[in-house]
Amino acid sequence: KNQVEQSPQSLIILEGKNCTLQCNYTVSPFSNLRWYKQDTGRGPVSLTIMTFSENTKSNGRYTATLDADTKQSSLHITASQLSDSASYICVVSATGNQFYFGTGTSLTVIP
Amino acid sequence: EAGVAQSPRYKIIEKRQSVAFWCNPISGHATLYWYQQILGQGPKLLIQFQNNGVVDDSQLPKDRFSAERLKGVDSTLKIQPAKLEDSAVYLCASSSLAGRYNEQFFGPGTRLTVL
């Protein structure tokens, strides 16, 4: 069964600290994996996209890693800011425009 | 490039009433998706169109939900009659068949409250 699991479900960190979010998947055949940021009341916005051959991708203070062998990905946020407070969703795409969503990690950055 | 447009942004109705949502995808995107996102959960696919044909509607509650994309561009999602558990954000997304990543682009969503 194609599934995407994320951990932790929620996270609270102090402004300026780093954090890492996890995503494990069982989707096959794998096409790509992306991390989305979803602010409250808005649609998800793509942060990073990685294919099978890419094991790291950065977007500013966001760095995603992918281990296709263990089917794990992580999203590392460096020097967190209050504006990073949002839900972070891991989405794995199978071939044929099939998308599988994780339930998301809710991140709260406090001053 | 204009993004995915959705309307209305918010809707409040009473149970057993009907409601319709509209989505205009990014120009040229062949694939259009409707998702239901209940508070605290990830989006759940309701229906996927490719041009004006349905690719996947396995999770669409067909006794009350319907969707169409008549000309392969705009789409409408209808709920009739609404139930309390339909309260959620309804997201529309589109993607192009071309390109390396077949990335989905999401609209801002319509927040539905059923009283």
Side-chain angles (χ1 to χ4, degrees):
Chain A
K1 183 178 179 182
N2 292 317
Q3 284 187 316
V4 178
E5 295 182 349
Q6 292 187 242
S7 62
Q9 186 174 5
S10 62
L11 183 62
I12 300 174
I13 62 172
L14 290 173
E15 184 179 12
K17 298 296 185 182
N18 303 335
C19 67
T20 300
L21 314 180
Q22 300 290 342
C23 173
N24 298 333
Y25 63 93
T26 59
V27 176
S28 180
F30 176 86
S31 176
N32 56 68
L33 183 148
R34 67 203 70 196
W35 284 92
Y36 283 92
K37 178 186 179 187
Q38 186 175 23
D39 291 312
T40 301
R42 295 180 178 270
V45 174
S46 179
L47 293 175
T48 63
I49 304 175
M50 290 178 291
T51 62
F52 186 88
S53 59
E54 298 171 305
N55 55 19
T56 187
K57 186 72 71 77
S58 290
N59 178 0
R61 295 179 297 101
Y62 301 100
T63 299
T65 64
L66 172 65
D67 186 334
D69 292 331
T70 62
K71 298 188 177 181
Q72 296 180 326
S73 176
S74 65
L75 180 69
H76 186 73
I77 304 175
T78 304
S80 61
Q81 300 176 358
L82 298 179
S83 59
D84 293 331
S85 294
S87 288
Y88 292 83
I89 303 174
C90 175
V91 182
V92 181
S93 173
T95 54
N97 266 8
Q98 299 286 316
F99 297 89
Y100 298 89
F101 286 73
T103 54
T105 292
S106 177
L107 174 66
T108 303
V109 180
I110 58 176
Chain B
E1 176 181 82
V4 176
Q6 290 188 247
S7 68
R9 290 295 313 276
Y10 305 92
K11 190 73 177 180
I12 300 174
I13 61 173
E14 294 186 348
K15 60 182 179 183
R16 291 189 289 275
Q17 286 188 321
S18 302
V19 65
F21 312 130
W22 174 82
C23 173
N24 182 238
I26 292 174
S27 178
H29 280 194
T31 311
L32 186 148
Y33 312 80
W34 282 102
Y35 290 90
Q36 180 192 59
Q37 186 176 25
I38 293 173
L39 186 64
Q41 299 181 18
K44 181 185 85 171
L45 179 68
L46 292 176
I47 189 166
Q48 176 182 342
F49 293 96
Q50 187 157 308
N51 296 309
N52 60 351
V54 176
V55 174
D56 183 355
D57 64 355
S58 58
Q59 298 194 85
L60 186 73
K62 298 180 184 64
D63 57 334
R64 298 184 301 106
F65 285 64
S66 65
E68 59 183 13
R69 193 185 184 199
L70 291 176
K71 297 182 179 178
V73 181
D74 294 7
S75 177
T76 55
L77 176 70
K78 297 179 181 178
I79 307 175
Q80 180 180 9
K83 293 185 176 182
L84 296 178
E85 58 262 36
D86 298 332
S87 294
V89 174
Y90 290 84
L91 294 167
C92 179
S94 69
S95 67
S96 170
L97 292 176
R100 181 183 180 191
Y101 293 118
N102 68 317
E103 181 179 0
Q104 284 182 311
F105 294 86
F106 286 85
T110 295
R111 181 176 296 276
L112 173 67
T113 301
V114 183
L115 303 176

